[in-house]
């Protein structure tokens, strides 16, 4: 109705603070959610769960802090965060309608699900939100994807809801079997950063992801770091560091024996605080070849799964027809010099144009160009120069500023190698 018109979705007014919190869309949306719980209870339902997707997650987070009627709740992707502000006059209104003030108040088990490279750069704030819950919330970070509803996310949601909807009450021991508690830490030794994950329960799998120096979460290259079992309940891994003052980011994913996957919050460590001296960077000309498998590549669209296939002359290449991406160019060990040329060895089964897009780390501007490729030449060397890549703002200033490479084609293409020349 017109009297509640301010509660209609309006992207431009979403984070505008009204004179009173009750006159915001956030208040009305949460009220509707709470009323739906009341209605379900009045209809005789005793086991109810709530799932909020995108901004709907904000509504469910607040509802989970205000109502103990649902048996559990979950939020998928970013619930929406108010942008930073120095306006102290609006502080109380912001606190009352933003999600930040509610995580420590959860009355029911909560599960926050997100992706590591979501374009709204929400990963760090979601991780901090989870830590504010002080053990009342589980977190899952889908690695190396952006806002993708992966099969792991789908399975996780089903397992989490089933655990609580199918059981009347879970005691602490049962909760700890479903998602065992852990201790995740980093330390310095032998000029390396060592990671330790301790968990007293048996796990099916543990994986560790580390990123160096990129402050914007959307553009971090999450390199998989091997972990080794050290004793009955500890896993150890390490990485070299390339700067004493640039933050190293890390998180681990734990898979239980029943297939439920959850994550540690993002751990941030400055190497100098751990007395780690940086390793001298040995620049690598070879960024990728097919022997590395899928490596650090991912697809912008989840239906196009990257995989290595065989091309002409039995040479392998990574394949994805639309939105094949990697943040590896932003990794200091693989980054190019200002005037480098990026050489790609590619094969296309049909004659077509391929679009190459590069995002820079200074302004997060995307620069693009198109190259024609034909099967007549079998494997084709594509040479990308800085002067090839342009946007409305001009040309890419240098390969040393590149942090994201994306390759798009109408039909499938194979990429056998990426090399600086």
């Amino acid at each position: 109705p017109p009297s509640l018109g301010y509660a209609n979705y309006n992207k431009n007014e979403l984070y505008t603070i009204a004179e009173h919190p009750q006159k915001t869309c956030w208040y009305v949306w949460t009220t509707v959610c709470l009323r739906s719980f009341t209605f379900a209870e009045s209809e005789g339902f005793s086991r109810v769960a709530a799932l909020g997707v995108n901004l709907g997650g904000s509504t469910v987070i607040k509802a989970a802090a205000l109502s103990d009627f649902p048996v559990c709740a979950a939020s998928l992707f970013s619930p929406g965060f108010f942008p930073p502000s120095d306006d102290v006059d609006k502080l109380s209104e912001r606190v009352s309608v933003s999600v930040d003030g509610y995580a420590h108040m959860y009355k029911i088990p909560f599960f926050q699900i997100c992706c590591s490279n979501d374009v709204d750069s929400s990963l760090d704030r979601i991780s901090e939100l989870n830590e504010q819950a002080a053990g009342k919330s589980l977190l899952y970070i889908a690695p190396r994807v952006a806002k993708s509803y992966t099969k792991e996310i789908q399975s996780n949601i089903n397992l989490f809801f089933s655990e609580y909807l199918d059981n009347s009450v879970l005691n602490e021991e049962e909760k700890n079997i479903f998602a065992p508690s852990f201790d995740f830490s980093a330390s310095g030794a032998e000029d390396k950063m060592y990671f330790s994950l301790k968990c007293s329960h048996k796990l099916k799998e543990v994986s560790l992801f580390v990123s160096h120096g990129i402050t914007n979460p959307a553009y971090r290259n999450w390199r998989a770091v091997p972990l080794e079992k050290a004793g009955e309940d500890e896993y150890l891994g390490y990485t070299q560091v390339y700067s004493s003052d640039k933050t190293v980011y890390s998180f681990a994913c734990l898979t239980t024996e029943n297939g439920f996957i959850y994550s540690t919050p993002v751990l941030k460590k400055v190497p100098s605080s751990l007395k780690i001296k940086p390793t001298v960077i040995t620049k690598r000309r070879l960024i990728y070849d097919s022997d590395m498998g899928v490596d650090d590549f991912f697809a912008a669209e989840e239906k196009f799964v990257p995989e290595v296939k065989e091309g002409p002359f039995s040479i392998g290449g990574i394949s994805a027809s639309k939105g094949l991406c990697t943040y590896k160019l932003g990794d200091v060990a693989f980054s190019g010099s200002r005037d480098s040329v990026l050489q790609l060895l590619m094969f296309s089964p049909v004659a077509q144009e391929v679009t190459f897009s590069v995002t820079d780390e200074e302004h997060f501007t995307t620069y693009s160009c198109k190259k024609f490729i034909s099967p007549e030449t079998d494997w084709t060397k594509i040479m990308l120069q800085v002067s090839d890549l342009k946007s409305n703002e001009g040309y890419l200033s240098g390969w040393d500023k590149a942090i994201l490479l994306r390759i798009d084609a109408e039909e499938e293409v194979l990429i056998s190698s990426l090399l600086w020349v």
Side-chain angles (χ1 to χ4, degrees), residues 68-293:
D68 60 1
F69 172 64
V71 295
C72 64
S75 172
L76 175 60
F77 306 136
S78 173
F81 293 94
F82 277 70
S85 173
D86 296 325
D87 189 349
V88 294
D89 295 332
K90 297 294 184 181
L91 182 60
S92 60
E93 285 84 355
R94 288 170 57 87
V95 170
S96 64
V97 295
S98 69
V99 296
D100 305 86
Y102 289 88
H104 71 285
M105 298 167 54
Y106 288 144
K107 295 181 178 179
I108 56 176
F110 199 87
F111 187 24
Q112 174 65 58
I113 307 157
C114 66
C115 297
S116 63
N117 294 88
D118 281 346
V119 293
D120 65 351
S121 306
S122 59
L123 176 64
D124 289 351
R125 294 193 69 174
I126 287 175
S127 180
E128 291 163 6
L129 189 71
N130 179 260
E131 291 187 280
Q132 291 168 15
K136 299 177 182 177
S137 173
L138 295 172
L139 170 68
Y140 174 60
I141 303 168
R144 298 195 286 213
V145 290
K147 206 168 187 179
S148 181
Y149 187 57
T150 66
K151 65 180 186 297
E152 290 83 7
I153 288 177
Q154 183 176 354
S155 174
N156 268 348
I157 291 174
N158 290 336
L159 286 168
F160 178 76
F161 282 142
S162 295
E163 184 70 15
Y164 288 93
L165 287 171
D166 296 345
N167 297 284
S168 56
V169 178
L170 290 181
N171 58 40
E172 289 304 316
E173 183 178 351
E174 289 172 321
K175 290 179 183 178
N176 205 33
I177 292 174
F178 175 66
S181 57
F182 58 81
D183 179 58
F184 181 52
S185 61
S187 59
E190 302 173 343
D191 289 334
K192 298 182 179 70
M193 186 174 291
Y194 282 85
F195 301 91
S196 167
L197 189 139
K198 296 180 180 179
C199 181
S200 58
H201 284 69
K202 186 177 180 180
L203 297 169
K204 183 178 181 181
E205 184 181 358
V206 177
S207 50
L208 173 64
F209 300 92
V210 177
S211 180
H212 297 256
I214 303 297
T215 56
N216 189 328
Y219 297 99
R220 289 180 189 149
N221 181 48
W222 291 106
R223 191 187 302 173
V225 172
L227 285 171
E228 293 185 2
K229 196 82 179 288
E232 286 297 317
D233 59 359
E234 185 174 15
Y235 299 82
L236 293 176
Y238 73 88
T239 183
Q240 294 178 323
V241 298
Y242 309 104
S243 170
S244 59
D245 56 359
K246 289 187 176 181
T247 303
V248 175
Y249 304 86
S250 60
F251 70 91
C253 291
L254 300 77
T255 306
T256 66
E257 290 191 295
N258 74 339
F260 181 70
I261 313 173
Y262 60 116
S263 305
T264 70
V266 175
L267 186 66
K268 306 175 185 179
K269 290 292 181 182
V270 177
S272 60
S273 69
L274 301 176
K275 297 181 170 54
I276 302 173
K277 295 179 182 178
T279 300
V280 176
I281 300 173
T282 302
K283 288 290 187 180
R284 306 179 193 182
R285 290 183 59 216
L286 181 64
I287 304 167
Y288 171 80
D289 68 31
S290 58
D291 289 339
M292 298 176 183

Side-chain angles (χ1 to χ4, degrees), residues 374-395:
S374 169
E376 294 178 4
T377 54
D378 294 317
W379 289 98
T380 304
K381 287 183 179 178
I382 300 292
M383 312 296 282
L384 290 183
Q385 303 184 60
V386 171
S387 57
D388 292 330
L389 297 155
K390 60 183 178 180
S391 71
N392 293 334
E393 282 72 39
Y395 291 91

